[in-house]
C-alpha cells in the first residue's frame, strides 16, 4: 500500500508510504485520490498528510516519465484535495520536492519541521512543475520568489519558507502541531488557487530571463517555466493549469529531459559492482601523504565526512604548509557559510599533520598525494607498507602514473588502488577508482564505501595513460591545438565550446589549471609517442615563453590586474608562425566545425576506452565527463550525446575527417561495430 489512512476521532491521518523516497508514482496518486474520498465519506474534521520514514515526498516518480501518463493525474488529485470540504494539513519532514511540494501547496495549511526542506527541482530533470506549482506558487509567495524557486530548482530551508509565506508554521513535531491547529482558523483559510494572482512585473520577469540565460545557458525548461508562470498571471487558474500541463508533457519527452534523467539515475547507479561482495575496510583514521593543493583538498574532503586525518609531510616546513592549506579550506568553507564555527572546530580537532609515519600506525586507509614521480610514489608506498597495519588499503591519487607499477613495488600489491580526485578535491564530485591488475575486491569495496561517505560519484576505471577522464581530455586538447595551428584562435575555440554548453572552453580551462601540467605529461610521453602522428608545438612554445596561465598573469589569455581575461595577439601570432614553419595554409573554421571536431575527437577516444575495457560502460563515461570535466549535464554526458547523433552518423563524419588525417581520426572499432549493427553506445558495457 503506498498511501495509508487511519482516523483518530474526527481527525484523519494520511501517510505516503513508498520507500525509499516516497516518490509519487501511480499507486501514490491513486492512494491520495482515494484518501480524499475516504475523508469525505467519514465526514472528518481535518486530514493530516505526512510521509513515512521521515521524508514527505521526493516528487513525481521520474521512472514513469518515459511512459504515457496514467490517471489519476497528479494535478487532478491535488485539485481534489484543495476543493475538498475536509481541510488537509501538510506535515512536512525531510523533503517535500517537486510534486511533494505541490501536494503541500494544495493543502490549506503547511507545517514544516525545522530541518525539513521544500523545493521545486523539476528543472534539474529538464521539466517544470506539472501539478500546479507554476500557478499556485506565485499566488502564495509572489512572482519574484516563485520565479527564483522554480527556475533555480534549489530547495528552501524551513526558516526561509516560513519567512516568505510558503508555510504557515515551523514546528519540531509537524503532525502533532497539525492536530492542535484551531479548527475555526483552519476552515477560514483561502485555498491557494483562489488567492489573487500577482501583477505582471516585466522587470522581475526580464531579470529572471537574464539570470537563466547567464547561469543556465542552453537549458529550455527554466525559460518554459517563466513563460508558463507569466501566462498564468493573466489567466483563470484552471486555464493556467492546462497550459502548465501541456508544457510539462512536452518537456518530459524532450532530449534535455531524457539526458538529465539519464545522468540522475546513472549517478545513483554508481555503486559497488554487483559482482564484488567483499566487506569494505571502514577506516577510523586515514593518512594522507602530501599537504599540497591536492593533499589538503583530499584531507578536507575526508575531514568533512567525519574521519580522523593525519597528513604526512617530509619535513617541518611541509607540516606547516599542510596545516596552513587545510586551515585555508576550513576558513573558506566558514566564509561561504557551508559550516559554522562548531563544525569548523570539529574538523580542526580531527586533523593533524606530522613527519612521523609512526603516527599513522593505526590508519587502515592511506591516500598518497605526493609529487607526480614514480620514484617518489614507490618510496612513499614502501614507507606506508611498513607503517600501516597489514590489511590497510593504500591508494594513490596519481592522475596518470601506472598503478600496476606502484603495486608491484610492494610485497602485497592487492592492497593498492588508485583514488583519482579532481581539484578542488573537496568540491569536485567525480572520483575515479583505478583498479590495478592485482587490486583486491576489498580495496574496491573500500573505495566505493569511502566515495559514499564523501558524497562523491565513483567510477571504476582501468590502468592506461590518463585512465578515462584525462585520456579523453588529452584528445580534446589535441584536437583543439590542431585547429589552432590550422586556422583558429583560442578564443574562437573557447566560444564555440561555451555555446555547446561548457562553462568555459579548453583554453580558458588550461589557464586555470596551468599549462605546465599538460606540458610535463607531453614530455613524459615523448619516448612513446607515435612519430607519424601530427604533433602541435604551440603549447610547448607557450610554456617556453613562461605563459603558464592565470598563475603567471598570462597564458592563452592575458589577465591584466584581475580584470578578467583578454585575448592576446601574441598567442594568435604563435599559431600563425607555427603554421608557417609547418608549411600549413591556415583556413577559417566555423563554430559548428570546431564543435564537431572536438566532440567527435572525444567520442572516438571514449569509444576506444570502452572497447579496451578501461571504462566499464558508456554511462560511466557520461559520469566522468559530466562530474569531472564540465560536459554539459543537460546533454547527458559524452556518450549519451553521441547516441543522439548515432554511431552511423559519427562514423560517416569521422571518415570525412580521416581524409585529412588518417592517424588522428582513426575510427574506433567499437564505433564501427555499433554503426554496422545499429547498436546504441549506451547499450555497450
Ligand atoms: N523518482 C524516482 N526515483 C527517485 C526519485 C524520483 N523523483 N528521487 C529519488 N529516487 C530514487 C533514486 O533513484 C534512488 O534509487 C533512491 O530513490 C534514493 O535516492 C509532478 C514533475 C529525494 C533528496 O527532482 O533529489 O515532481 O538507487 O540516492 O541521497 O511537478 O533523491 O536506491 O534504486 O538520491 O537520500 C522532482 C529527486 C521530480 C527530486 C533523496 N523531484 N530526488 O536523496 O537518496 S519531477 C526531484 C532527490 C516532479 C512534479 C514534477 C533525492 C532526494 P536507488 P538518493 P538521497
Amino acid at each position: 500500500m503506498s498511501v495509508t489512512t487511519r482516523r483518530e476521532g474526527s481527525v484523519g491521518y494520511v501517510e505516503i508510504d513508498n520507500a525509499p523516497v516516497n516518490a509519487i508514482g501511480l499507486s501514490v496518486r491513486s492512494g491520495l485520490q482515494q484518501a480524499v474520498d475516504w475523508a469525505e465519506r467519514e465526514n472528518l474534521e481535518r486530514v493530516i498528510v505526512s510521509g513515512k520514514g521521515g521524508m514527505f515526498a521526493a516528487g513525481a516518480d521520474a521512472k514513469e516519465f518515459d511512459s504515457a501518463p496514467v490517471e489519476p493525474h497528479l494535478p487532478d488529485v491535488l485539485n481534489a484535495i484543495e476543493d475538498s470540504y475536509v481541510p488537509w494539513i501538510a506535515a512536512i519532514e525531510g523533503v517535500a520536492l517537486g510534486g511533494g511540494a505541490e501536494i503541500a501547496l494544495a493543502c490549506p495549511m503547511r507545517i514544516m519541521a525545522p530541518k525539513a526542506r521544500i523545493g521545486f527541482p523539476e528543472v534539474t530533470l529538464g521539466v517544470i512543475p506539472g501539478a500546479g506549482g507554476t500557478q499556485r506558487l506565485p499566488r502564495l509567495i509572489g512572482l519574484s520568489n516563485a520565479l527564483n524557486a522554480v527556475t533555480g530548482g534549489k530547495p528552501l530551508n524551513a526558516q526561509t519558507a516560513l519567512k516568505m509565506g510558503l508555510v504557515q508554521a515551523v514546528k519540531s513535531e509537524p503532525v502533532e502541531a497539525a492536530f492542535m491547529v484551531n479548527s475555526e482558523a483552519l476552515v477560514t483559510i483561502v485555498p491557494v488557487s483562489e488567492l489573487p494572482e500577482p501583477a505582471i512585473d516585466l522587470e522581475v520577469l526580464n531579470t529572471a530571463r537574464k539570470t537563466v540565460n547567464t547561469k543556465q545557458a542552453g537549458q529550455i525548461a527554466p525559460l518554459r517555466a517563466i513563460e508558463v508562470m507569466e501566462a498564468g498571471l493573466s489567466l483563470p487558474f484552471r486555464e493556467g493549469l492546462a497550459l502548465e500541463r501541456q508544457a510539462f508533457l512536452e518537456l518530459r519527452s524532450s532530449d534535455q529531459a531524457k539526458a538529465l534523467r539519464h545522468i540522475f539515475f546513472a549517478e545513483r547507479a554508481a555503486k559497488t559492482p554487483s559482482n564484488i561482495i567483499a566487506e569494505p575496510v571502514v577506516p577510523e583514521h586515514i593518512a594522507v601523504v602530501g599537504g599540497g593543493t591536492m593533499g589538503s583538498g583530499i584531507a578536507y574532503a575526508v575531514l568533512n565526512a567525519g574521519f580522523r586525518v593525519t597528513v604526512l609531510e617530509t619535513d617541518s616546513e611541509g607540516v606547516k604548509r599542510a596545516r596552513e592549506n587545510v586551515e585555508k579550506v576550513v576558513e573558506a568553507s566558514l566564509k561561504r557559510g557551508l559550516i559554522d564555527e562548531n563544525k569548523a572546530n570539529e574538523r580542526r580537532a580531527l586533523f593533524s599533520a606530522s613527519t612521523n609515519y609512526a603516527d599513522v600506525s593505526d590508519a587502515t586507509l592511506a591516500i598518497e598525494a605526493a609529487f607526480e614521480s614514480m620514484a617518489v610514489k614507490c618510496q612513499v608506498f614502501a614507507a606506508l607498507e611498513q607503517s600501516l597495519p597489514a590489511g590497510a588499503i593504500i591508494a594513490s591519487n596519481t592522475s596518470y602514473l601506472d598503478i600496476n607499477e606502484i603495486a608491484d613495488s610492494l610485497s602485497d600489491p592487492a592492497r593498492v588502488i588508485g583514488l583519482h580526485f579532481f581539484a578542488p578535491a573537496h568540491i569536485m564530485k567525480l572520483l575515479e577508482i583505478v583498479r590495478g591488475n592485482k587490486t583486491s575486491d576489498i580495496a574496491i569495496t573500500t573505495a566505493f564505501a569511502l566515495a559514499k561517505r564523501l558524497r562523491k560519484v565513483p567510477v571504476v576505471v582501468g590502468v592506461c595513460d590518463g585512465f578515462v577522464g584525462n585520456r579523453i581530455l588529452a584528445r580534446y586538447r589535441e584536437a583543439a591545438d590542431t585547429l589552432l595551428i590550422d586556422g583558429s584562435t583560442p578564443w574562437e575555440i573557447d566560444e564555440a565550446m561555451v555555446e555547446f554548453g561548457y562553462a568555459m572552453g579548453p583554453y580558458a580551462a588550461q589557464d586555470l589549471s596551468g599549462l605546465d601540467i599538460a606540458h610535463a605529461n607531453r614530455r613524459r610521453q615523448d619516448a612513446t609517442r607515435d612519430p607519424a602522428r601530427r604533433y602541435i608545438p604551440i603549447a610547448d612554445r607557450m610554456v617556453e615563453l613562461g605563459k603558464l596561465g592565470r598563475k603567471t598573469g598570462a597564458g592563452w589569455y592575458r589577465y591584466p590586474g584581475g580584470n578578467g581575461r583578454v585575448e592576446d595577439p601574441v598567442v594568435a601570432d604563435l599559431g600563425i608562425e607555427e603554421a608557417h614553419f609547418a608549411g600549413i595554409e591556415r583556413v577559417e573554421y566555423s563554430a559548428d566545425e570546431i564543435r564537431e571536431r572536438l566532440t567527435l575527437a572525444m567520442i572516438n577516444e571514449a569509444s576506444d576506452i570502452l572497447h579496451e575495457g578501461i571504462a566499464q560502460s558508456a554511462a560511466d563515461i557520461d559520469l566522468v565527463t559530466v562530474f569531472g570535466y564540465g560536459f554539459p549535464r543537460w546533454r547527458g554526458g559524452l556518450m549519451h550525446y553521441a547516441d543522439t547523433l548515432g554511431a552511423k552518423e559519427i562514423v560517416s563524419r569521422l571518415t570525412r575527417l580521416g581524409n585529412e588525417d588518417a592517424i588522428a581520426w582513426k575510427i574506433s572499432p567499437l564505433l564501427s561495430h555499433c554503426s554496422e549493427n545499429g547498436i546504441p553506445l549506451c547499450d555497450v558495457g
Side-chain angles (χ1 to χ4, degrees):
M1 193 55 189
S2 302
V3 172
T4 58
T5 55
R6 65 182 171 81
R7 67 176 294 170
E8 279 177 21
S10 61
V11 174
Y13 292 88
V14 172
E15 188 177 61
I16 302 168
D17 175 9
N18 186 22
V21 294
N22 292 336
I24 308 164
L26 173 60
S27 61
V28 172
R29 298 196 302 274
S30 307
L32 288 172
Q33 181 64 65
Q34 287 154 25
V36 173
D37 303 338
W38 161 76
E40 293 186 346
R41 264 198 322 277
E42 300 281 322
N43 199 20
L44 295 174
E45 180 264 342
R46 71 181 66 182
V47 163
I48 299 170
V49 60
S50 60
K52 191 167 182 181
M55 168 147 341
F56 187 75
D61 183 342
K63 293 189 184 80
E64 292 184 350
F65 286 5
D66 289 315
S67 9
V70 176
E71 290 186 337
H73 302 311
L74 193 56
D76 302 330
V77 174
L78 302 194
N79 289 340
I81 290 176
E82 188 175 63
D83 297 346
S84 172
Y85 69 79
V86 178
W88 284 45
I89 304 175
I92 301 166
E93 292 183 296
V95 291
L97 298 176
E102 290 173 304
I103 292 173
L105 286 179
C107 300
M109 171 158 272
R110 296 160 296 283
I111 302 174
M112 273 175 88
K115 288 201 167 64
R117 288 177 297 141
I118 184 168
F120 300 84
E122 285 89 340
V123 293
T124 65
L125 291 175
V127 292
I128 64 170
T134 64
Q135 305 304 306
R136 289 192 172 95
L137 202 59
R139 286 172 165 78
L140 191 63
I141 62 174
L143 181 59
S144 177
N145 283 335
L147 284 165
N148 290 339
V150 170
T151 56
K154 293 219 179 342
L156 303 168
N157 64 39
Q159 287 316 319
T160 308
L162 181 68
K163 221 179 291 163
M164 61 171 65
L166 182 48
V167 298
Q168 286 100 328
V170 174
K171 298 285 183 190
S172 53
E173 300 297 338
V175 171
E176 276 170 35
F179 178 81
M180 303 302 287
V181 168
N182 172 296
S183 307
E184 285 65 45
L186 190 53
V187 294
T188 57
I189 296 174
V190 175
V192 177
S193 62
E194 291 173 25
L195 294 172
E197 61 273 19
I200 296 177
D201 183 329
L202 293 178
E203 196 185 331
V204 163
L205 289 162
N206 291 336
T207 307
R209 284 196 177 88
K210 235 182 262 150
T211 306
V212 166
N213 286 327
T214 316
K215 291 194 180 153
Q216 297 157 285
Q219 297 178 50
I220 48 178
L223 292 174
R224 247 354 251 283
I226 296 172
E227 188 188 300
V228 168
M229 291 167 88
E230 179 176 15
L233 299 176
S234 43
L235 285 173
F237 176 74
R238 291 293 165 114
E239 285 180 39
L241 216 51
L243 208 63
E244 171 195 80
R245 181 82 184 154
Q246 184 195 347
F248 164 70
L249 292 175
E250 277 167 26
L251 287 169
R252 204 180 73 138
S253 53
S254 67
D255 282 347
Q256 288 193 8
K258 287 179 186 155
L260 287 164
R261 278 203 294 281
H262 163 67
I263 285 293
F264 176 86
F265 288 114
E267 179 186 354
R268 285 155 179 80
K271 293 175 177 129
T272 305
S274 49
N275 61 338
I276 296 182
I277 46 179
E279 271 309 302
V281 164
V282 183
E284 291 308 314
H285 181 198
I286 294 178
V288 173
V289 181
T293 309
M294 281 311 286
S296 50
I298 292 168
Y300 188 73
V302 172
L303 285 169
N304 249 353
F307 291 102
R308 184 158 64 88
V309 180
T310 299
V311 172
L312 291 168
E313 262 292 349
T314 47
D315 55 30
S316 56
E317 198 41 46
V319 167
K320 182 168 167 289
R321 181 186 58 148
R323 288 206 174 101
E324 285 164 359
N325 284 343
V326 170
E327 183 52 27
K328 236 187 274 173
V329 183
V330 173
E331 286 301 327
S333 301
L334 263 173
K335 207 179 290 171
R336 289 176 56 200
L338 299 174
I339 54 173
D340 60 20
E341 204 49 56
N342 288 341
K343 292 274 182 223
N345 291 331
E346 275 172 22
R347 284 155 181 74
R348 290 175 180 127
L350 287 169
F351 169 71
S352 57
S354 164
T355 58
N356 185 351
Y357 277 61
D359 291 343
V360 294
S361 58
D362 64 340
T364 50
L365 172 63
I367 304 170
E368 171 272 323
F371 184 63
E372 275 292 89
S373 131
M374 186 54 80
V376 167
K377 291 187 185 304
C378 289
Q379 216 177 0
V380 165
F381 270 69
L384 288 169
E385 184 170 48
Q386 287 306 315
S387 318
L388 269 57
I393 304 298
I394 311 179
S396 172
N397 170 60
T398 182
S399 305
Y400 285 88
L401 299 181
D402 186 338
I403 289 288
N404 294 325
E405 192 176 333
I406 297 174
D408 288 343
S409 70
L410 295 192
S411 53
D412 177 7
R415 57 201 291 200
V416 173
I417 193 167
L419 287 178
H420 183 210
F421 290 80
F422 290 79
H426 59 293
I427 292 173
M428 291 297 282
K429 287 196 74 172
L430 178 63
L431 179 66
E432 280 186 324
I433 296 175
V434 189
R435 174 163 213 168
N437 299 337
K438 296 169 187 155
T439 299
S440 67
D441 284 358
I442 294 180
I444 294 285
T445 53
T446 302
F448 272 92
L450 179 74
K452 191 167 174 63
R453 286 282 298 275
L454 302 185
R455 297 188 75 79
K456 297 279 183 191
V457 178
V459 176
V460 176
V461 298
V463 175
C464 72
D465 195 321
F467 314 133
V468 171
N470 279 343
R471 179 169 156 184
I472 293 171
L473 176 66
R475 181 67 189 98
Y476 176 56
R477 285 178 171 168
E478 181 192 45
D481 287 356
T482 305
L483 283 170
L484 207 48
I485 196 166
D486 286 353
S488 297
T489 63
W491 22 100
E492 285 167 345
I493 293 167
D494 280 358
E495 204 176 304
M497 296 317 287
V498 167
E499 279 164 28
F500 180 77
Y502 279 88
M504 63 173 74
Y507 292 101
Q510 282 180 58
D511 274 357
L512 262 187
S513 54
L515 277 67
D516 43 340
I517 298 171
H519 181 261
N521 282 315
R522 287 195 299 277
R523 294 297 69 80
R524 185 174 50 76
Q525 294 159 343
D526 283 341
T528 53
R529 183 176 298 112
D530 175 358
R533 191 178 183 105
R534 273 186 86 183
Y535 182 79
I536 317 296
I538 300 174
D540 294 343
R541 295 237 1 233
M542 295 285 288
V543 173
E544 286 148 25
L545 289 168
K547 290 174 167 294
L548 304 185
R550 283 172 183 266
K551 59 186 172 186
T552 55
W556 298 105
Y557 296 85
R558 278 188 307 106
Y559 299 87
N563 302 325
R565 57 173 176 262
V566 292
E567 298 169 5
D568 183 353
V570 169
V571 171
D573 290 347
L574 267 186
I576 295 165
E577 197 178 289
E578 285 300 333
H580 171 70
F581 294 152
I584 291 166
E585 199 175 315
R586 285 166 60 87
V587 295
E588 283 286 310
Y589 288 96
S590 70
D592 282 341
E593 285 171 319
I594 292 170
R595 282 187 284 270
E596 176 182 72
R597 286 155 187 267
L598 267 57
T599 51
L600 289 181
M602 290 194 283
I603 292 167
N604 199 31
E605 191 65 32
S607 300
D608 275 343
I609 287 171
L610 207 43
H611 182 62
E612 295 161 24
I614 298 293
Q616 296 181 325
S617 68
D620 277 356
I621 292 173
D622 289 336
L623 292 176
V624 168
T625 50
V626 166
F627 289 103
Y629 293 82
F631 194 91
R633 185 187 175 108
W634 52 269
R635 289 189 186 272
L638 181 67
M639 303 308 254
H640 183 88
Y641 167 69
D643 277 336
T644 63
L645 302 175
K648 210 174 185 63
E649 175 60 20
I650 291 170
V651 166
S652 118
R653 295 184 189 184
L654 287 172
T655 306
R656 171 169 44 81
L657 292 169
N659 297 331
E660 290 172 20
D661 182 339
I663 294 174
W665 296 107
K666 180 172 176 293
I667 298 172
S668 167
L670 177 74
L671 277 171
S672 305
H673 172 72
C674 289
S675 170
E676 284 147 24
N677 297 284
I679 300 170
L681 286 162
C682 69
D683 287 357
V684 176

